[in-house]
Amino acid sequence: LTRKISDMLFLAKSDNSLIVPHRERVDLAAEIGSLFEFYEALVDEKSVTLSSSGKGSVFGDRLMLRRGINNLLSNAFKYTPPGGMIHITLLKNLDKVDILVADSGIGMTEAEKNCAFDLFYQGHQTNKHLGTGLGLALSKEFVLLHNGTIELTSEKGKGTTFKISLPIVKPASIECEAALNQPFVRELIEDSMPDSIKNDDLSVNTILLIEDNEELNFYLRQKLSPSYSVVSTESAEQGWVEILNNIPDL
C-alpha cells in the first residue's frame, strides 16, 4: 500500500512538472545485468530463458531508468508461461538508444494494447497475475521524463515486445543543466524576475494545510500555492497555533 501511494504521488508530481530527473551516465547493459541477478530464482522456478544482447549508455536518472526497465521485465514474467523466453536487446544509433523487451508470453488483443499504459489498467488478470495497474504507467512516465518514447507490439498467443527509445544527451547539455542549478545562478535568475512573480500577493485567500505525510504535504503545497497563500503544518496542534496567530480563510 505504501509503494502504491508513493507511486501515485510520483505520477501526480510528474503530471504537474514537479519532477526533474537526476542526470548521470547510465550503462544500460550493466543495469540490465544487475536486474537479471534479481530474477535468477524466478528464472529457475519457471524454467524461463532470460537473455540480453547489445550495449548502450545514456545520460539520465539511473534509478528511474532501472525501475522503468524492471517494470517491463516484471510484466514479461507475469505473462510468459514456463519454458518461455524473455530477451532484452540494446540498439545504439547515432542519437538514441533503443531498448527492446520481448517475451513469448500470452500476448495482447488490440483492446488490451490500447489500454496497456492507462493508469490502474490490469488487463485480464487472475489472482496469479494480480498487480497494482501502475507499472506500465510508471515506465511510460519515466521514459517521457527523459524525452523518450515507449511503444509496444503484440499479438494474442504470440508474445509482446516493448520498445523504449531514449535520446543520447551530450555531456555539454548535462553541464549546462548542472550550472543552472548552482546557487549563484539561481539567485541571478530569481533577481531577474519581476516583483509580482517573486513576492506573494497579500490579497489572496489563505489556506491552512495540515498533513503529516511529507511528500503529500509538499505536493499539495505546490498545487495550491499558485492560487492561494498556503500555511503548512504537519500536526493538528501546530495547525491550532497557526489559527490563533492568523485566522485562515480555509
Side-chain angles (χ1 to χ4, degrees), residues 21-61:
H22 175 68
R23 298 286 183 176
E24 63 180 300
R25 183 182 293 277
V26 180
D27 184 335
L28 295 171
E31 294 301 324
I32 290 168
S34 179
L35 287 172
F36 279 14
E37 293 179 6
F38 176 79
Y39 284 99
E40 283 180 354
L42 191 55
V43 167
D44 294 338
E45 179 184 331
K46 296 188 67 173
S47 298
V48 170
T49 300
L50 180 61
S51 58
S52 66
S53 61
K55 295 181 179 180
S57 296
V58 296
F59 280 86
D61 192 300

Side-chain angles (χ1 to χ4, degrees), residues 117-158:
F117 296 106
D118 290 352
L119 199 60
F120 301 120
Y121 180 74
Q122 297 181 319
H124 297 298
Q125 296 204 32
T126 64
N127 288 335
K128 183 178 179 182
H129 297 148
L130 193 61
T132 64
L134 294 173
L136 294 182
L138 280 167
S139 289
K140 181 179 179 179
E141 200 62 37
F142 293 148
V143 171
L144 293 178
L145 284 168
H146 288 78
N147 299 316
T149 61
I150 183 169
E151 58 190 51
L152 71 91
T153 56
S154 184
E155 188 174 345
K156 200 66 176 176
K158 295 187 178 181

Side-chain angles (χ1 to χ4, degrees), residues 195-206:
D195 291 339
S196 59
I197 295 178
K198 288 192 295 183
N199 299 326
D200 292 333
D201 184 351
L202 298 178
S203 66
V204 299
N205 291 328
T206 300

